[in-house]
Amino acid sequence: MAHTDHQTMRRVLRREIAGTIGLITDEHDFRAMRRYRSFTFDDHAAYLRQVESVLRARAAQGTHTTLALFDPEDYAHYCTEAGLDPEAPASRTRFTAELAATGATIPYDGRPLATLVPALVDEAVRQATWEYATTLLARLGPCPTCGEDIGRTAFTRASDLLVRILDTAPPGDRHLVCSVSGPPDTLISVLHGDRDSHGDTRLDEAEALEFTSVLALGLATRSPGGLVLRTSAPGTTDRVYGWRLRTGALEPLTASEVFDAYCTDAECGDLISPESGVDYCEPPDLGDETTAPGHRH
C-alpha cells in the first residue's frame, strides 16, 4: 500500500514539473549539430516529428512544456565558457535550462510545430532587437550639457509618444510598425494592440518594450526612420497613417505619402495596386511633442 502511494505521489510530482525543449528550427543549424556524435538524429524532418510527438505526449499527461530556440554556435560558446564537454547530453540539458531562463521561449499550446516554429523565430528576433536597442541606448551616456541620461530620457519620450498614438487612434485593433535606419542595420519592430470587450487596447508587454526601445533609439540618435499605424474594426475600412522619424522627432506624413509608401514595392520600386477597403490618411495631432526633438543642445 505504501509503495503504491509513493508511486502515485511521484506521478503527481512529474505532472507538476515544467520542462523546456531546445528546438533546432532550421536545416542549417541541424547540420551543425550533427558534428556531435551524441546527437543521434540524421534527418531534420524526422527530428521535428519526434519533437512534436514528445510535446503531444507531455501535453496529454498535463505537463507544461516551453520551446526554446537552440543555436549550435551559442551552444559551442556556452560549453567553452563553462568548461563543458559539448558531446555530453548533460551539457545540452544545462544549455537548454539556461535558455529557459534567459533566451527566447514560447509555451507549447497544442498548435503544430509548423505554426510554432515561425512564432519562436519571431520571438528570438524580437528579443535580439530589444537587447541590441537597449545596449545602444545605454552606450549614449549622459548629455554633456544638462547631464541627463540620453537613453533614459529618449525612452520616456518614446513611451509618451506611444501612449499618445494609441489614445488618438480610431477604435479597433492596432498594428504598428517602427523602423529606424542606421549603421550597421535597420531595426524594425512590430506592435499589435487588440481591443477588449471594454474598448481598452491590450498590448503584449514584451512587444511594447521592444517597440518603445527601437523608437527611443531613433529619437535619441536622430536616425532616419518611420512609424506607421493601421487600425481595423468590423464594418469599417482600415485606416493607415504614419510619421517620418527625422532629427529626433516624428513628422506627420501626408495621405499621399502614406499611399505612395504602401503602393510601391520596397525592393524594385514598382507600383503595387492599392488594397481595397483601406483609407490612407493623415495622422491625428499628437501635440507639441511631434515638433520637440529634445536634446538639441
Side-chain angles (χ1 to χ4, degrees):
M1 182 65 178
H3 179 67
T4 302
D5 289 342
H6 288 162
Q7 287 183 328
T8 301
M9 285 189 288
R10 290 194 190 101
R11 284 197 296 269
V12 171
L13 286 173
R14 279 196 292 268
R15 287 199 298 267
E16 296 187 10
I17 296 175
T20 302
I21 292 179
L23 185 64
I24 304 170
T25 58
D26 63 56
E27 190 73 41
H28 177 269
D29 287 347
F30 184 82
R31 287 197 299 270
M33 283 301 296
R34 290 197 62 200
R35 67 175 180 265
Y36 301 119
R37 294 186 305 274
S38 60
F39 185 77
T40 57
F41 298 96
D42 57 10
D43 180 81
H44 189 230
Y47 159 81
L48 291 176
R49 287 194 297 270
Q50 291 298 320
V51 170
E52 190 153 27
S53 177
V54 170
L55 290 169
R56 288 174 178 168
R58 287 175 58 84
Q61 295 167 0
T63 303
H64 176 79
T65 308
T66 298
L67 293 174
L69 190 65
F70 194 105
D71 183 279
E73 290 187 11
D74 290 345
Y75 172 64
H77 178 74
Y78 173 82
C79 289
T80 300
E81 290 293 309
L84 300 175
D85 177 10
E87 280 286 1
S91 298
R92 290 196 288 274
T93 301
R94 285 183 58 175
F95 177 66
T96 300
E98 186 80 10
L99 291 177
T102 62
T105 62
I106 60 172
Y108 175 68
D109 56 9
R111 287 180 294 169
L113 277 186
T115 301
L116 290 174
V117 165
L120 179 58
V121 173
D122 286 347
E123 176 63 17
V125 172
R126 182 206 60 74
Q127 180 166 318
T129 301
W130 171 73
E131 291 176 351
Y132 182 67
T134 53
T135 298
L136 293 183
L137 285 171
R139 290 177 180 173
L140 295 176
C143 173
T145 300
C146 68
E148 288 187 356
D149 187 288
I150 297 174
R152 186 178 298 114
T153 301
F155 188 87
T156 301
R157 285 185 58 213
S159 300
D160 180 64
L161 279 169
L162 179 58
V163 170
R164 295 186 190 203
I165 290 169
L166 293 173
D167 285 347
T168 57
D173 295 338
R174 288 85 183 268
H175 180 84
L176 298 93
V177 179
C178 180
S179 62
V180 173
S181 301
D185 299 309
T186 295
L187 294 183
I188 299 177
S189 180
V190 178
L191 178 62
H192 304 276
D194 299 326
R195 300 270 285 188
D196 60 22
S197 57
H198 302 290
D200 298 323
T201 301
R202 296 175 308 196
L203 300 175
D204 179 271
E205 185 175 340
E207 274 191 5
L209 186 60
E210 178 218 2
F211 188 92
T212 307
S213 299
V214 171
L215 176 56
L217 184 63
L219 296 173
T221 59
R222 302 183 184 183
S223 301
L227 193 158
V228 176
L229 170 67
R230 179 170 183 154
T231 61
S232 305
T236 63
T237 58
D238 286 8
R239 298 187 66 184
V240 178
Y241 54 80
W243 296 263
R244 180 184 296 106
L245 190 57
R246 176 184 292 175
T247 61
L250 290 180
E251 299 178 357
L253 296 171
T254 65
S256 60
E257 287 175 325
V258 177
F259 179 88
D260 290 343
Y262 261 76
C263 299
T264 303
D265 189 295
E267 294 185 358
C268 63
D270 293 341
L271 294 178
I272 303 173
S273 299
E275 295 182 64
S276 60
V278 176
D279 183 16
Y280 304 96
C281 52
E282 295 184 9
D285 183 18
L286 297 180
D288 294 339
E289 175 61 33
T290 55
T291 56
H295 281 92
R296 299 183 73 95
H297 49 266

